[in-house]
Amino acid sequence: MTNLKEKIKNLSMELTSIPSIVGTVGEICIAEKIYSIFRKIDYFKLYSDKLRIVDLKKDSLGRKYVMAFIEGTNFRSSKTILLLGHIDTVGIEDYGDLKEFATNPNMLKKKLAEKKVNQEILEDLESDNWLFGRGIFDMKAGVASLIVMMEEFSKKTNELDGNLVFIGVPDEEGNSAGMLSAVEDLAAIAEEKGWEFIAAIDTDYMTGHYPGDENKYVYIGTVGKLLPCFYVYGKETHVGEAFNGLDANLLAAEIMKQVDLSYDLCDIADGEVTLPPISLHQRDLKTEYSVQTVNAVNLYFNFATHISQPDEVLEKLKEKAVLAFENTIEKLNGEYRKFCELSNIPFKKLPWEVRVLTFEELYSQVKEKLGEALDKMIDSLVDELLEKGVDDREFSLRIVQEVHKYYPDKNPLIVLYFAPPYYPHIFVKGENEKEKRLLEAVNQAVEEAKKQYDYKIVTKKFFPYISDLSYCSIAENDESIAKLINNMPAWSRKYSLPVKAIKKISMPVVNIGPYGKDAHKMTERISSSYSFDAMPFILEKTILNLLKCHSKNS
């Protein structure tokens, strides 16, 4: 392992030195660099057809991903393991005047030492154990580990009872265009070669869960993400007649109160709990200053999932929207009653009623009235929005507004819908053979590592950060997927997932990542201990255990 440790460390530094910020030409440069590294490996010199640099589908930036695969020669097994890593990073603006050193680990460490930092960071700067740099932790070291593993296993294909496929993909920090493009190719090549994907292993970063956490984590499964949105339509009025309208801001504020960081919306599976939904956006849709009250607001939330499917999330949030509406009406009537008493005028209950629809329900009701004319109007709007290149969230909202424009009831209303992106969760329960084998393989590897290394290594169910792992599997429940599609206005118009391809390659997942701190911060750093010894050990043993598990049945 000593030789491997140095090899992974050096390659991590080399990859970090190449700026590969998401959405820039650097993503192409890093793909070409990784491709050139693989080309120097003897196996790929001999089998050049097993190494590819592939253009992303319909990518305006011309980005590429790298695929390399090794086929075992012993039993010619169909069992195949996917080794997955992303090759892009977030930007470097946070480094300020140290931007030019952000991808130079040696120089950056010296320059950061001249800055005023807290005691923990100072100690790490003074230690030989820590390496600093943009992307070294998230996730160049992980990619380096996978490349080295591919090289090592390429030397012993006669011992492999199965196949290994590496993909290094761009845009994980953006919209996962790299992974989504690769998924379709993986499904095609699996069909062509008769492969069966049995597991995906990612090596994305791993860190402590709380200050002082000494545990090192391996995650068998991954969190999912939905972006539920609320279009809040009130009733405008002159500010001098405030109780004659329903302020959309007030209704939106009550939705925020009911949903934002509400613990009862945490998703729980096997005792592991997601963070509650958190607001990512809230704005009123009034375009000018006037003394007319706000009649429309848009807000959306990051909603993490462990077990709930889109249809279930929709129902939970519809209940919250109904409650928010009820509370708002109650407040308005209460405040109006007090105002009438103060003003010595008669009180009459305000006319507002609770109205909450999903986008699917709104669309269905308007379609019943307008027929095909509605779709033509939506198509015309879509053409205009695509030409302007509007953001996916804005795109979704504009379609909701367009459909609502033709909704005959102009009373206050909440419309609930989804906007991109969608990341399916993957819950590895051990209910089928693939899941059982992965759980067994990882647990065995972790137990071996505990005996050899002095770390507190803990296995958990869900990798807690949004990642490309999500696209290795998707719910088999067609009803649930239909609810997602029918309530996502951007679906097929601007955004979609290769659902059929994901189902074809469907596999359980694990993240065996390096240990570090401060991903996406200027003090991003990786610990050489664990990251370059125990972590590669667990990675290698997991691969071996998986192949060993299958050798008898191959």
Side-chain angles (χ1 to χ4, degrees):
M1 275 301 287
T2 305
N3 183 44
L4 288 188
K5 179 176 180 177
E6 285 305 309
K7 205 168 192 177
I8 295 169
K9 181 180 177 179
N10 292 336
L11 184 53
S12 299
M13 301 275 276
E14 186 178 356
L15 294 179
T16 302
S17 71
I18 302 166
S20 56
I21 297 168
V22 64
T24 72
V25 70
E27 290 185 281
I28 300 172
C29 295
I30 191 74
E32 290 173 344
K33 175 65 178 178
I34 290 169
Y35 179 70
S36 72
I37 291 168
F38 272 107
R39 285 186 66 187
K40 294 172 186 173
I41 296 171
D42 288 342
Y43 182 85
F44 295 104
K45 287 180 183 175
L46 189 60
Y47 301 105
S48 59
D49 60 316
K50 296 181 181 181
L51 172 62
R52 303 171 184 180
I53 185 164
V54 187
D55 292 332
L56 266 59
K57 297 169 180 61
K58 299 178 183 176
D59 188 63
S60 60
L61 299 172
R63 291 173 295 186
K64 307 167 188 294
Y65 77 90
V66 179
M67 177 191 288
F69 56 91
I70 298 164
E71 295 181 283
T73 56
N74 191 356
F75 287 88
R76 295 285 182 185
S77 171
S78 64
K79 309 304 180 186
T80 304
I81 299 170
L82 177 66
L83 303 180
L84 163 66
H86 73 83
I87 57 180
D88 60 317
T89 73
V90 294
I92 57 173
E93 291 304 313
D94 52 325
Y95 285 87
D97 62 343
L98 299 185
K99 273 199 307 184
E100 63 179 299
F101 308 110
T103 58
N104 184 333
N106 291 325
M107 285 299 296
L108 179 63
K109 200 168 187 181
K110 292 174 186 174
K111 294 294 181 180
L112 279 173
E114 298 169 5
K115 299 289 184 181
K116 188 175 180 180
V117 294
N118 66 37
Q119 187 60 33
E120 181 187 351
I121 295 168
L122 182 61
E123 288 174 5
D124 291 348
L125 283 166
E126 292 172 349
S127 166
D128 290 337
N129 180 52
W130 291 89
L131 302 172
F132 288 69
R134 173 57 80 234
I136 195 163
F137 180 35
D138 183 15
M139 65 167 284
K140 301 288 179 70
V143 172
S145 299
L146 294 177
I147 294 170
V148 170
M149 285 298 144
M150 287 291 286
E151 182 175 12
E152 290 304 304
F153 280 103
S154 73
K155 298 171 186 173
K156 42 192 176 187
T157 55
N158 62 323
E159 298 173 28
L160 288 180
D161 297 336
N163 316 296
L164 292 175
V165 179
F166 164 88
I167 56 170
V169 296
D171 197 47
E172 193 267 0
E173 302 291 2
N175 296 300
S176 291
M179 182 60 179
L180 293 174
S181 188
V183 160
E184 296 189 70
D185 296 335
L186 289 170
I189 197 171
E191 188 171 347
E192 174 196 328
K193 291 184 168 289
W195 289 345
E196 179 192 6
F197 282 105
I198 59 170
I201 304 176
D202 198 355
T203 50
D204 214 333
Y205 78 88
M206 174 272 296
T207 192
H209 283 196
Y210 52 85
D213 184 5
E214 294 296 323
N215 293 329
K216 306 297 183 285
Y217 297 99
V218 173
Y219 301 95
I220 311 174
T222 190
V223 71
K225 166 185 170 154
L226 284 157
L227 199 73
C229 310
F230 297 82
Y231 173 63
V232 181
Y233 183 78
K235 184 66 176 176
E236 69 282 356
T237 186
H238 191 288
V239 294
E241 299 176 331
F243 285 107
N244 287 346
L246 194 159
D247 181 10
N249 274 333
L250 181 64
L251 184 48
E254 187 61 29
I255 293 172
M256 183 68 73
K257 181 181 172 184
Q258 294 300 324
V259 176
D260 199 42
L261 294 175
S262 292
Y263 79 94
D264 60 334
L265 290 173
C266 292
D267 215 19
I268 306 170
D270 271 13
E272 293 191 26
V273 184
T274 64
L275 286 167
I278 186 159
S279 164
L280 290 178
H281 173 93
Q282 179 178 354
R283 71 178 172 95
D284 70 63
L285 303 176
K286 191 175 170 183
T287 56
E288 79 292 329
Y289 170 79
S290 74
V291 290
Q292 182 189 61
T293 59
V294 169
N295 81 328
V297 175
N298 180 231
L299 60 163
Y300 53 76
F301 298 84
N302 189 86
F303 197 112
T305 64
H306 278 172
I307 195 166
S308 295
Q309 294 298 340
D311 55 335
E312 296 169 301
V313 172
L314 206 61
E315 280 306 308
K316 290 177 187 177
L317 292 176
K318 195 171 183 181
E319 287 174 14
K320 289 289 188 181
V322 167
L323 180 59
F325 220 135
E326 290 171 344
N327 289 349
T328 301
I329 292 171
E330 184 181 349
K331 174 182 169 59
L332 282 171
N333 277 305
E335 299 298 340
Y336 184 46
R337 182 185 295 277
K338 292 170 188 172
F339 172 77
C340 290
E341 289 170 0
L342 286 171
S343 305
N344 198 27
I345 59 176
F347 166 77
K348 184 180 179 184
K349 190 176 179 183
L350 297 170
W352 316 125
E353 295 178 7
V354 174
R355 286 181 174 85
V356 179
L357 295 175
T358 63
F359 176 73
E360 183 178 18
E361 291 166 340
L362 176 72
Y363 173 84
S364 177
Q365 290 182 36
V366 177
K367 180 73 179 279
E368 193 175 336
K369 175 175 173 278
L370 297 183
E372 295 302 317
L374 174 62
D375 293 326
K376 288 178 182 176
M377 286 184 282
I378 293 174
D379 290 343
S380 177
L381 174 64
V382 165
D383 290 342
E384 177 190 329
L385 296 175
L386 290 175
E387 192 173 330
K388 291 180 179 176
V390 302
D391 172 81
D392 285 354
R393 274 56 55 183
E394 181 70 19
F395 182 93
S396 304
L397 170 64
R398 292 286 300 278
I399 292 174
V400 173
Q401 288 179 295
E402 182 72 7
V403 176
H404 178 248
K405 186 162 72 176
Y406 301 102
Y407 186 60
D409 188 341
K410 294 307 178 187
N411 285 299
L413 171 72
I414 297 172
V415 181
L416 176 58
Y417 64 98
F418 292 120
Y422 170 53
Y423 289 82
H425 60 257
I426 300 178
F427 182 12
V428 183
K429 303 176 189 177
E431 290 185 344
N432 59 46
E433 199 57 35
K434 285 184 186 179
E435 292 183 355
K436 286 175 186 172
R437 285 167 171 167
L438 180 60
L439 287 165
E440 183 183 344
V442 174
N443 289 332
Q444 282 181 6
V446 166
E447 289 307 310
E448 286 186 69
K450 284 179 181 177
K451 292 173 186 174
Q452 184 153 335
Y453 301 97
D454 189 24
Y455 301 112
K456 296 176 182 176
I457 308 171
V458 177
T459 57
K460 291 180 76 71
K461 281 289 184 185
F462 299 94
F463 182 56
Y465 314 108
I466 301 304
S467 77
D468 286 338
L469 271 181
S470 282
Y471 300 121
C472 292
S473 188
I474 198 165
E476 288 295 330
N477 185 334
D478 290 336
E479 247 180 71
S480 179
I481 296 299
K483 275 289 179 191
L484 172 76
I485 292 171
N486 294 340
N487 286 288
M488 186 177 276
W491 191 277
S492 79
R493 298 179 174 107
K494 190 175 189 287
Y495 175 87
S496 63
L497 299 179
V499 174
K500 287 183 181 176
I502 295 172
K503 284 186 175 182
K504 276 184 182 177
I505 68 166
S506 183
M507 67 191 102
V509 304
V510 61
N511 191 82
I512 303 169
Y515 172 71
K517 301 173 186 174
D518 292 354
H520 295 197
K521 297 181 182 179
M522 69 179 292
T523 47
E524 175 180 353
R525 58 202 185 276
I526 192 168
S527 167
S528 293
S529 57
Y530 186 81
S531 300
F532 300 139
D533 50 42
M535 176 270 195
F537 178 89
I538 297 169
L539 177 61
E540 182 179 31
K541 292 295 180 184
T542 297
I543 294 169
L544 287 171
N545 290 342
L546 277 168
L547 297 179
K548 181 182 176 184
C549 283
H550 290 274
S551 61
K552 292 177 183 177
N553 302 320
S554 299

